[in-house]
C-alpha cells in the first residue's frame, strides 16, 4: 500500500507523495484546521482586539448558527461574551503588572559581581588542591579485586595532575 502521511491538524491520512502532500497542505480545509488549532493558544487580549474590529454576524444573531463557522469574517460573540472577555483581559493585565512590580530589575553590575565572586571562590578552592574522596559504586567488588585502571589516584599522583590541562 506504500507510505501514508497523517495530518494531525485535519485528523486525516493519505498516500504520501509530493503531489498529494502539496495539494493537502495548500488546501482550504487544512488551512482552516491549522488556524483553529493555533487559535487555541492565542492570548485573550489578541482575541478581544480581533473581535472588536469585526462586525456582528447577522446569520449567527438570527439563528444561532452560521454556515461558515470559525472561518466566518464576522464576529459570533455577543455583547455579554465581549464584556466577559474584557474583564478577563483586565484581570490578566493586573496580574501581569503585579508580577512585574515584584521582580526587581536585573542589574548587569550585580550579575558581574556574582560571577567574579564565583570565579574567585573556584580559584581559591583549586589552590588548596585536596584530593577528592572516592567511593566505589554499590555492587562493585572490593578495591583489591579491581584492575589497576579502575583504582583511584593516590595523594602523590593527585599532585601530579594539578597542572594538567585538557583540551
Amino acid at each position: 500500500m506504500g507510505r501514508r502521511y497523517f495530518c494531525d491538524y485535519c485528523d486525516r491520512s493519505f498516500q504520501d507523495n509530493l503531489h498529494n502532500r502539496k495539494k493537502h497542505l495548500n488546501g482550504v480545509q487544512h488551512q482552516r484546521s491549522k488556524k483553529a488549532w493555533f487559535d487555541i493558544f492565542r492570548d485573550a487580549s489578541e482575541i478581544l482586539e480581533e473581535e472588536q474590529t469585526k462586525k456582528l454576524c447577522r446569520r449567527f444573531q438570527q439563528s444561532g448558527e452560521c454556515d461558515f463557522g470559525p472561518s466566518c469574517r464576522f464576529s459570533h460573540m455577543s455583547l455579554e461574551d465581549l464584556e466577559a472577555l474584557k474583564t478577563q483581559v483586565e484581570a490578566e493585565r493586573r496580574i501581569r503588572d503585579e508580577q512585574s512590580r515584584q521582580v526587581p530589575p536585573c542589574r548587569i553590575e550585580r550579575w558581574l559581581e556574582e560571577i567574579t565572586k564565583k570565579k574567585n571562590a573556584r580559584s581559591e578552592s583549586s589552590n588548596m588542591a585536596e584530593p577528592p574522596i572516592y567511593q566505589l559504586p554499590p555492587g562493585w567488588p572490593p578495591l583489591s579485586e579491581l584492575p589497576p585502571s579502575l583504582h583511584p589516584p593516590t595523594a602523590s599522583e593527585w599532585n601530579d595532575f594539578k597542572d594538567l590541562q585538557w583540551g
Side-chain angles (χ1 to χ4, degrees), residues 49-61 66 72-79 82:
E49 189 177 307
E50 182 181 319
E51 289 296 323
Q52 285 178 334
T53 59
K54 293 180 180 180
K55 294 180 182 178
L56 291 175
C57 180
R58 279 189 267 154
R59 284 187 189 158
F60 192 77
Q61 281 181 336
C66 177
C72 184
R73 304 186 299 164
F74 301 104
S75 177
H76 291 173
M77 289 189 136
S78 65
L79 294 176
L82 283 174

Side-chain angles (χ1 to χ4, degrees), residues 111-126:
W111 179 76
L112 287 171
E113 288 173 8
E114 290 174 7
I115 295 295
T116 54
K117 285 179 187 176
K118 287 180 184 177
K119 284 184 179 179
N120 291 339
R122 277 191 217 135
S123 64
E124 289 173 5
S125 65
S126 64

Side-chain angles (χ1 to χ4, degrees), residues 134 153 157-158 160-167:
Y134 291 102
E157 292 173 336
W158 178 252
D160 293 341
F161 297 136
K162 187 177 179 180
D163 298 325
L164 183 65
Q165 291 184 0
W166 295 87

Side-chain angles (χ1 to χ4, degrees), residues 3-164:
R3 290 187 330 184
R4 309 261 321 148
Y5 177 80
F6 182 79
C7 179
D8 290 321
Y9 300 117
C10 304
D11 196 27
R12 165 171 191 234
S13 73
F14 49 87
Q15 188 175 5
D16 188 21
N17 61 41
L18 182 62
H19 173 73
N20 288 348
R21 190 181 290 202
K22 244 186 193 180
K23 186 177 176 183
H24 174 76
L25 294 177
N26 292 329
V28 174
Q29 183 63 37
H30 176 76
Q31 298 294 331
R32 285 182 184 163
S33 300
K34 186 176 173 183
K35 182 183 182 308
W37 170 257
F38 283 105
D39 284 348
I40 294 170
F41 304 105
R42 287 182 28 204
D43 251 352
S45 59
E46 291 175 23
I47 295 170
L48 178 65
E49 189 177 307
E50 182 181 319
E51 289 296 323
Q52 285 178 334
T53 59
K54 293 180 180 180
K55 294 180 182 178
L56 291 175
C57 180
R58 279 189 267 154
R59 284 187 189 158
F60 192 77
Q61 281 181 336
Q62 292 170 355
S63 64
E65 293 181 4
C66 177
D67 297 338
F68 296 101
S71 63
C72 184
R73 304 186 299 164
F74 301 104
S75 177
H76 291 173
M77 289 189 136
S78 65
L79 294 176
E80 294 84 24
D81 293 339
L82 283 174
E83 288 301 320
L85 195 57
K86 282 181 187 178
T87 55
Q88 180 184 350
V89 167
E90 287 301 318
E92 288 176 1
R93 189 173 292 143
R94 270 188 249 114
I95 290 170
R96 215 176 311 120
D97 290 343
E98 289 173 10
Q99 288 176 348
S100 66
R101 287 184 203 132
Q102 292 173 354
V103 177
C106 184
R107 303 280 183 224
I108 194 147
E109 293 84 15
R110 189 179 71 209
W111 179 76
L112 287 171
E113 288 173 8
E114 290 174 7
I115 295 295
T116 54
K117 285 179 187 176
K118 287 180 184 177
K119 284 184 179 179
N120 291 339
R122 277 191 217 135
S123 64
E124 289 173 5
S125 65
S126 64
N127 290 341
M128 294 178 194
E130 291 182 19
I133 300 171
Y134 291 102
Q135 293 181 348
L136 294 175
W140 275 38
L143 193 60
S144 59
E145 295 179 18
L146 289 175
S149 63
L150 294 178
H151 284 248
T154 62
S156 62
E157 292 173 336
W158 178 252
N159 290 334
D160 293 341
F161 297 136
K162 187 177 179 180
D163 298 325
L164 183 65

